[in-house]
């Protein structure tokens, strides 16, 4: 017997209370639950994550302090349809709490996707509906279980998926070119059986393929005129890693990864004035929702909550060097469980690397020809998730000047529908003959638990206004900034306004910079949009948070998700919209800032057969946080760039 291979695992030394659960800890959590609770055979583990300790404990934690490692677990009993939440102390080998949560549905579990596809394909009525359309080879049918949302259907109380389908012509074919429009299977996921089939209309399959590789499409010849572009970091990267703690160029932070949110950043700070000055306690994607704008039967329920319903973290890709990230890369695995309680590790789910970012700052003194240039570099931590047809990259960038950037990249396949010959769709774009992509939007809500120089922060709205005509403004050129502290949660539900260059600053009224202003970070908005569904729509009842670009709440550790804890099949009224009804004070308080980012997507022909990345994002920019430009100490580029040519007027 090979003793090296026995179960004597090395006990991991957990150095910090925010270190994510290790594979061993996930195993132990499941074992403790199985031992101490009579878990039925049809219990599924919907989620096993670190139970984050209280903020006070984390902030006062000193290296070597004892840590009670706890897991937060969501379980679903397929037998009864009941959902439970449990907290397990791994350290004390004990189930600390066990709670039945009524009238909720956990998000999809990955194994449910596969089982759902099986169930639909095995259903004789569904097979009949396929046969009517001339589809006989079930292996080529792609079943995408869409979240059911909430439309007051008779299936209320059941755990439901609405399965939409596409069909390939061959195993490596792009099936999204051939939507089986008009056919939906309603699946009971607890019983894993089809309960109903909706057969609205039999549409012809579009005539052309949607293939995008040279192997699958004769019309694609890969370019051969591209020379290598190598990123060489001969002395290695400039960051330092200790577990999930990262330090780089004055930045200091930790990260974790959850099946729902994907990347989570903690305790982000910047070293300045001899100490690490805190900026954010926790930053994460708090929800994303993709509402479709087509009111016709096959598409009018498409509102995917990709984070709360599907779990962006559990859908993370394993990343590959040279493909997903270039340069000196450090990858991290994401640890979670499958629904049967087995450890599931996504290798290389998170990528950490540095990128050259062009000119940081530059000035040429044209009288003496002295030029000073500093290059900018950014540290990027990212992951990519595939949600059926779409693929999303999430990038957090740390810049040397204290700017923090958030970018989302949307790519992959647009959602598709079939058209009759000559049919011109009102609510979408024809992207190929008899194939169309409905109009839709992608909303991303980022939750930022701020701690600018300390826990107590305020939010200030700034609007730029033109000066009145008159003696003070003789040439009518004047304008100035009007600032206002937003004092309550209801007052802070706000939207962007291009006319006033509106933005918001997160300030610490108790910490002043050297000219006496409160230190602050401002939200630098980039592209954004507003929703078009009206207030009576199911979407707006469930995702009312997309009505505003900004929300600010008083910190409550139970308020983590813009759509509420259990958005799947939820009729709405939970989440951010509910949190702000308390209308708590947000001035000089422990506050959480929620920023909503909308990508308005009217599909283009060029989005097909695969869409080039659409990038959307925002930045948190220091605004009087530092006393002056904090990058004067950046090293000069080597060799020094000087005296190249002469100055000409
Ligand atoms: Ni899109």
């Amino acid at each position: 017997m090979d003793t090296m291979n026995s179960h004597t695992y090395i006990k991991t030394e957990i150095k910090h209370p925010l270190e994510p659960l290790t594979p061993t800890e996930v195993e132990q959590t499941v074992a403790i639950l199985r031992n101490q609770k009579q878990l039925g055979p049809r219990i599924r583990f919907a989620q096993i994550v670190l139970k984050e300790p209280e903020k006070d404990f984390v902030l006062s934690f000193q290296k070597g302090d004892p840590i009670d490692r706890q897991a937060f677990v969501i379980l679903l009993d397929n037998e009864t349809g009941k959902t439970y939440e449990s907290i397990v102390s791994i350290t004390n080998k004990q189930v600390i709490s066990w709670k039945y949560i009524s009238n909720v549905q956990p998000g999809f579990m990955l194994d449910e996707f596969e089982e759902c596809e099986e169930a639909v394909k095995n259903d004789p009525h569904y097979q009949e509906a396929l046969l009517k359309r001339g589809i006989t080879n079930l292996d080529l049918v792609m079943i995408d279980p869409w979240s059911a949302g909430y439309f007051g259907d008779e299936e209320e109380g059941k755990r439901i998926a609405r399965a939409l389908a596409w069909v390939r012509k061959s195993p490596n074919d792009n099936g999204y070119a051939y939507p089986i429009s008009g056919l939906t299977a309603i699946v009971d996921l607890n019983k894993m059986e089809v309960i109903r089939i909706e057969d609205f209309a039999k549409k012809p399959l579009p005539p052309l393929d949607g293939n995008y590789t040279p192997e699958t499409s004769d019309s694609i010849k890969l370019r051969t005129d591209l020379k290598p572009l190598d990123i060489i970091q001969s002395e290695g990267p400039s960051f330092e890693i200790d577990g999930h703690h990262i330090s780089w160029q004055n930045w200091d932070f930790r990260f974790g990864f959850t099946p729902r949110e994907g990347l989570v950043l903690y305790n982000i700070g910047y070293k300045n004035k001899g100490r690490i000055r805190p900026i954010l306690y926790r930053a994460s994607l708090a929800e994303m929702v993709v509402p479709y704008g087509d009111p016709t039967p096959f598409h009018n329920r498409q509102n995917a909550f990709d984070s709360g319903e599907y779990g962006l973290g559990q859908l993370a890709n394993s990343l590959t060097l040279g493909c997903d990230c270039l340069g000196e890369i450090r990858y991290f695995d994401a640890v979670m469980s499958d629904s049967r309680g087995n450890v599931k590790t996504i290798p290389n789910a998170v990528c950490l690397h540095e990128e050259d970012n062009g000119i940081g700052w530059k000035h040429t003194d044209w009288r003496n020809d002295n030029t000073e240039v500093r290059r900018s570099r950014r540290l990027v931590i990212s992951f990519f998730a595939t949600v059926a047809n779409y693929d999303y990259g999430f990038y957090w960038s740390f810049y040397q000047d204290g700017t923090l950037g958030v970018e989302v990249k949307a790519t992959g396949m647009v959602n598709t529908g079939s058209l009759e010959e000559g049919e011109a769709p009102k609510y979408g774009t024809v992207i190929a003959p008899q194939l169309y992509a409905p109009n839709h939007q992608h909303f991303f809500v980022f939750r930022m638990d701020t701690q600018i120089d300390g826990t107590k922060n305020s939010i200030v709205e700034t609007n730029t206004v033109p000066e009145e005509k008159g003696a003070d403004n003789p040439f009518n050129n004047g304008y100035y900034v009007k600032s206002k502290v937003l004092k309550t949660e209801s007052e802070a539900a706000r939207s962007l306004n291009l006319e006033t260059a509106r933005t918001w600053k997160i300030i610490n009224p108790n910490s002043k910079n050297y000219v006496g202003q409160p230190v602050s970070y401002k939200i630098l908005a980039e592209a954004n949009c507003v929703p078009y569904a009206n207030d009576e729509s199911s979407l707006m009842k469930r995702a009312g948070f997309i009505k505003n670009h900004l929300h600010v709440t008083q910190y409550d550790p139970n308020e983590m998700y813009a759509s509420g804890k259990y958005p799947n099949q939820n009729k709405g009224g939970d989440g951010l919209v509910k949190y702000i009804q308390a209308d708590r004070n947000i001035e000089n308080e422990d506050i959480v800032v929620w920023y909503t980012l909308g990508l308005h997507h009217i599909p283009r022909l060029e989005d097909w057969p695969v869409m080039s990345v659409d990038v959307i994002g925002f930045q948190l920019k220091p605004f009087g946080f530092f006393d002056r430009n904090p990058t004067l100490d950046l090293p000069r580029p080597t060799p020094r760039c000087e005296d190249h040519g002469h100055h000409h007027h």
Side-chain angles (χ1 to χ4, degrees):
M1 189 180 150
D2 184 3
T3 48
M4 292 301 287
N5 210 13
S6 67
H7 281 90
T8 50
Y9 41 74
I10 299 150
K11 194 172 185 301
T12 338
E13 202 56 59
I14 302 298
K15 289 182 181 161
H16 191 276
L18 292 175
E19 279 289 311
L21 296 182
T22 63
T24 305
E25 288 178 318
V26 171
E27 262 171 32
Q28 289 169 334
T29 300
V30 173
I32 293 164
L33 273 166
R34 287 205 197 283
N35 275 338
Q36 294 175 28
K37 288 279 150 191
Q38 269 60 57
L39 299 189
R42 299 189 61 212
I43 281 262
R44 287 189 196 252
F45 293 82
Q47 194 189 79
I48 303 176
V49 293
L50 172 74
K51 167 89 173 75
E52 292 174 18
E54 280 174 23
K55 195 194 277 195
D56 288 348
F57 174 80
V58 174
L59 291 178
S60 61
F61 178 80
Q62 298 289 316
K63 205 174 161 187
D65 285 355
I67 307 169
D68 179 14
R69 293 286 282 174
Q70 298 184 353
F72 173 73
V73 186
I74 297 172
L75 305 99
L76 171 70
D77 190 344
N78 284 149
E79 192 67 43
T80 59
K82 288 183 171 173
T83 299
Y84 300 90
E85 288 181 0
S86 181
I87 296 168
V88 174
S89 167
I90 301 162
T91 308
N92 300 320
K93 299 183 173 50
Q94 207 168 27
V95 176
I96 294 176
S97 76
W98 176 269
K99 215 165 52 174
Y100 164 55
I101 311 292
S102 61
N103 297 321
V104 299
Q105 292 294 343
F108 284 125
M109 293 162 250
L110 284 194
D111 356 25
E112 285 182 321
F113 285 107
E114 289 159 31
E115 293 170 34
C116 175
E117 175 152 15
E118 276 305 297
V120 173
K121 287 183 178 179
N122 288 335
D123 183 78
H125 299 292
Y126 195 81
Q127 291 173 0
E128 260 170 49
L130 290 177
L131 200 61
K132 269 203 316 202
R133 291 163 168 82
I135 299 164
T136 50
N137 187 348
L138 288 172
D139 291 342
L140 297 175
V141 174
M142 303 170 9
I143 305 290
D144 283 0
W146 276 68
S147 53
Y150 181 85
F151 296 91
D153 296 318
E154 63 263 39
E155 292 89 11
E156 203 171 336
K158 292 182 181 157
R159 181 171 176 77
I160 299 296
R162 295 178 63 83
L164 307 185
W166 286 261
V167 61
R168 304 178 197 264
K169 294 271 156 101
S170 60
N172 292 321
D173 190 28
N174 176 10
Y176 291 111
Y178 307 110
I180 308 178
S181 280
L183 180 64
T184 309
I186 320 301
V187 182
D188 181 330
L189 295 175
N190 280 322
K191 295 187 173 145
M192 267 317 160
E193 61 184 33
V194 174
I195 38 181
R196 197 155 54 80
I197 288 168
E198 290 174 359
D199 201 346
F200 298 110
K202 184 174 151 298
K203 294 249 184 183
L205 292 181
L208 298 185
D209 75 59
N211 289 325
Y212 49 92
T213 65
E215 291 78 19
T216 50
S217 174
D218 291 339
S219 65
I220 299 166
K221 302 271 176 279
L222 300 184
R223 298 177 195 188
T224 55
D225 54 353
L226 208 52
K227 306 281 190 289
L229 192 157
D230 297 319
I231 311 289
I232 296 159
Q233 294 177 266
S234 50
E235 296 173 37
S238 307
F239 50 75
E240 279 173 37
I241 299 170
D242 182 13
H244 287 72
H245 176 254
I246 311 292
S247 54
W248 177 83
Q249 290 289 293
N250 296 327
W251 283 103
D252 191 280
F253 65 97
R254 328 192 113 261
F255 72 96
F257 200 89
T258 72
R260 176 166 178 171
E261 305 157 286
L263 259 180
V264 178
L265 305 184
Y266 301 106
N267 267 339
I268 300 173
Y270 190 101
K271 200 192 296 167
N272 174 246
K273 300 181 176 172
R275 64 198 162 92
I276 293 170
R277 297 175 61 193
I279 297 166
L280 296 176
Y281 177 73
R282 192 185 194 278
S284 60
L285 179 76
E287 187 51 276
M288 72 165 277
V289 55
V290 188
Y292 283 78
D294 182 346
T296 62
F298 188 59
H299 298 285
N300 56 13
R301 297 176 185 239
Q302 286 182 303
N303 299 310
F305 289 64
D306 286 345
S307 172
E309 291 174 341
Y310 293 92
L312 283 167
Q314 67 175 354
L315 296 169
N317 299 167
S318 286
L319 302 171
T320 315
L321 183 61
C323 300
D324 297 293
C325 301
L326 291 183
E328 226 16 74
I329 308 297
R330 177 68 203 273
Y331 289 114
F332 301 86
D333 298 346
V335 174
M336 49 196 85
S337 78
D338 69 14
S339 85
R340 300 302 175 196
N342 305 305
V343 174
K344 185 177 169 257
T345 300
I346 302 175
N348 295 354
V350 174
C351 168
L352 180 76
H353 73 286
E354 295 171 275
E355 284 179 1
D356 180 86
N357 189 48
I359 301 291
W361 56 261
K362 174 171 182 168
H363 181 61
T364 297
D365 185 332
W366 60 269
R367 285 188 171 79
N368 59 22
D369 254 358
N370 285 344
T371 296
E372 289 288 345
V373 189
R374 300 292 182 273
R375 290 200 69 80
S376 164
R377 211 187 274 192
R378 62 182 189 179
L379 180 71
V380 185
I381 187 163
S382 65
F383 78 104
F384 232 99
T386 300
V387 193
N389 51 304
Y390 255 109
D391 302 78
Y392 297 101
F394 296 88
Y395 295 75
W396 295 84
S397 296
F398 298 81
Y399 295 82
Q400 289 158 309
D401 69 353
T403 300
L404 182 62
V406 179
E407 274 179 346
V408 183
K409 298 182 180 176
T411 180
M413 304 294 140
V414 286
N415 206 259
T416 51
S418 300
L419 298 170
E420 300 288 350
E421 232 179 308
E423 192 181 345
K426 183 176 180 183
Y427 308 102
T429 305
V430 178
I431 52 168
Q434 288 180 255
L435 183 72
Y436 98 113
N439 299 336
H440 61 277
Q441 301 178 303
H442 308 248
F443 289 98
F444 307 88
V445 189
F446 288 91
R447 179 185 182 277
M448 293 166 286
D449 182 351
T450 68
Q451 52 177 1
I452 313 285
D453 261 358
T455 311
K456 302 266 189 218
N457 289 171
S458 300
I459 189 106
V460 173
E461 177 170 303
T462 64
N463 289 286
T464 299
V465 293
E467 184 53 278
E468 305 277 313
K469 289 179 183 169
D472 289 344
N473 192 19
F475 299 107
N476 296 307
N477 65 311
Y479 61 85
Y480 62 101
V481 175
K482 266 184 162 170
S483 297
K484 181 187 172 193
V485 176
L486 304 176
K487 293 175 188 295
T488 64
E489 291 175 328
S490 63
E491 213 184 317
R494 301 288 291 162
S495 282
L496 292 167
N497 179 359
L498 196 56
E499 280 176 34
T500 66
R502 180 174 300 155
T503 188
W504 301 283
K505 292 192 296 185
I506 305 136
I507 69 163
N508 185 333
N510 318 299
S511 175
K512 304 278 165 68
N513 59 33
Y514 87 145
V515 292
Q517 307 149 339
V519 297
S520 92
Y521 260 74
K522 80 164 188 178
I523 295 174
L524 185 70
E526 296 169 18
N528 214 323
C529 69
V530 296
Y532 293 91
N534 71 42
D535 284 355
E536 269 99 82
S537 63
S538 169
L539 172 79
M540 294 312 285
K541 287 175 185 155
R542 302 176 65 221
F545 52 87
I546 61 179
K547 265 189 176 173
N548 295 292
H549 299 120
L550 180 83
H551 293 87
V552 182
T553 54
Q554 203 184 88
Y555 171 74
D556 178 336
N558 295 311
E559 297 177 353
M560 299 300 292
Y561 309 109
S563 55
K565 209 166 178 182
Y566 293 98
N568 193 14
Q569 294 182 246
N570 190 292
K571 65 174 75 169
D574 199 3
L576 207 34
V577 172
K578 184 176 159 196
Y579 305 158
I580 66 166
Q581 278 171 8
D583 208 16
R584 292 161 291 194
N585 175 51
I586 51 167
E587 188 181 11
N588 201 14
E589 260 296 346
D590 187 355
I591 59 171
V592 176
V593 175
W594 311 67
Y595 183 68
T596 300
L597 203 56
L599 175 63
H600 188 62
H601 195 178
I602 306 299
R604 307 175 300 151
L605 256 77
E606 292 85 349
D607 291 338
W608 187 254
V610 64
M611 176 183 152
S612 293
V613 287
D614 248 355
V615 186
I616 189 164
F618 70 99
Q619 291 188 338
L620 284 182
K621 230 174 169 50
F623 195 98
F625 181 78
F626 302 107
D627 289 340
R628 59 178 187 171
N629 187 334
T631 62
L632 303 184
D633 58 351
L634 285 181
R636 287 180 165 128
T638 43
R640 201 177 160 193
C641 327
E642 57 183 348
D643 285 338
H644 293 298
H646 294 278
H647 189 81
H648 299 284
H649 286 276

